Amino acid sequence: MEILKIDHLGIAVNSIDDGKNFWSDVLGLGFEGTETVEAQKVTTAFFPVGESEVELLESTSPDGPVAKYIEKRGQGIQHVAFRVADIEAALAELKEKGVRLIDESPRHGAGGAKIAFLHPKATGGVLVELCER
Ligand code: ZN
């Protein structure tokens, strides 16, 4: 599998409107607007940092994965996303290695990316996202 870079850090927030102040006004990162991914019940906001990005995640529904995460663990870093050259090949390789996956096949993420999550139980507690753009 070819991992190209850390694509982004996903940070769960109660409100992008409240949360973006620190990233855009205090740190001075560019704010590229929000995008809602209904299938995942989440609104995202991306802040580019060099070759990577910070992604703020706000749940659109109390039963969405981000809302459940905040309920259990509070706001904060929710996942790390690695950009891969070929997500299908990466998932096939992980499956062959017996790694537990949340997504057996890629789904659509923000910004037209193909994404898939690995199970935190297989990674030492970190929710890992693979993405291909
Ligand atoms: Zn992400």
Side-chain angles (χ1 to χ4, degrees):
M1 152 178 18
E2 191 186 350
I3 293 182
L4 303 171
K5 63 176 186 175
I6 291 181
D7 190 83
H8 62 270
L9 298 175
I11 298 173
V13 294
N14 289 322
S15 156
I16 286 173
D17 267 351
D18 297 342
K20 78 180 199 310
N21 176 56
F22 171 74
W23 305 96
S24 61
D25 297 348
V26 178
L27 295 189
L29 301 178
F31 172 51
E32 298 197 323
T34 61
E35 180 183 346
T36 296
V37 183
E38 271 311 333
Q40 289 171 58
K41 299 181 177 172
V42 74
T43 298
T44 65
F46 282 94
F47 302 83
V49 186
E51 290 207 335
S52 301
E53 295 182 282
V54 168
E55 175 189 36
L56 298 188
L57 303 154
E58 175 186 331
S59 193
T60 60
S61 153
D63 68 344
V66 170
K68 286 184 189 158
Y69 179 90
I70 291 175
E71 203 179 289
K72 263 198 243 166
R73 302 171 78 166
Q75 300 186 95
I77 293 185
Q78 193 243 3
H79 66 268
V80 177
F82 294 106
R83 187 180 295 193
V84 294
D86 181 341
I87 195 166
E88 276 90 2
L91 289 172
E93 186 181 327
L94 290 166
K95 237 182 272 182
E96 202 178 288
K97 288 177 174 167
V99 173
R100 189 165 160 198
L101 305 173
I102 291 175
D103 301 304
E104 299 265 319
S105 52
R107 47 181 154 137
H108 293 288
K114 289 199 273 186
I115 66 168
F117 287 96
L118 280 53
H119 200 285
K121 288 210 165 111
T123 64
V126 179
L127 179 58
V128 172
E129 173 188 333
L130 301 181
C131 74
E132 178 189 333
R133 294 175 199 262

